[in-house]
Amino acid sequence: SLEKAGHSLLISLSRGLLFTVLGLALFPLIWAETGIWITPVFAEVATTAVTVLLMLRWAGRLDSVRAEKAAEPLPSLEG
């Protein structure tokens, strides 16, 4: 989780609760029994999408921090 407890919690709850409950509420209405079997696949794919978005967002911030540090002048060794 790399010190990102909120992101880790969001990913865990999305996979285990949010997308599973959402899939079980909607997909059987659309596809009957087949909808029940589609739900785990939906939960995994949707959680993967959330994870990728969080990683891209975090990587973008990481790049901006690296750029800021690279632009700072190096400390002088003199006196």
Side-chain angles (χ1 to χ4, degrees), residues 14-62:
S14 294
R15 180 177 181 255
L17 185 65
L18 179 68
F19 293 131
T20 302
V21 170
L22 184 65
L24 286 173
L26 295 177
F27 294 151
L29 297 174
I30 300 168
W31 295 296
E33 296 87 24
T34 304
I36 295 170
W37 295 101
I38 292 172
T39 296
V41 176
F42 164 73
E44 293 295 329
V45 170
T47 302
T48 301
V50 168
T51 303
V52 168
L53 290 173
L54 288 173
M55 289 177 63
L56 290 174
R57 183 175 161 199
W58 181 71
R61 287 186 182 170
L62 183 62

Side-chain angles (χ1 to χ4, degrees), residues 63-79:
D63 289 342
S64 65
V65 169
R66 286 182 184 159
E68 288 175 12
K69 286 186 178 183
E72 293 177 5
L74 294 175
S76 176
L77 295 177
E78 297 175 7

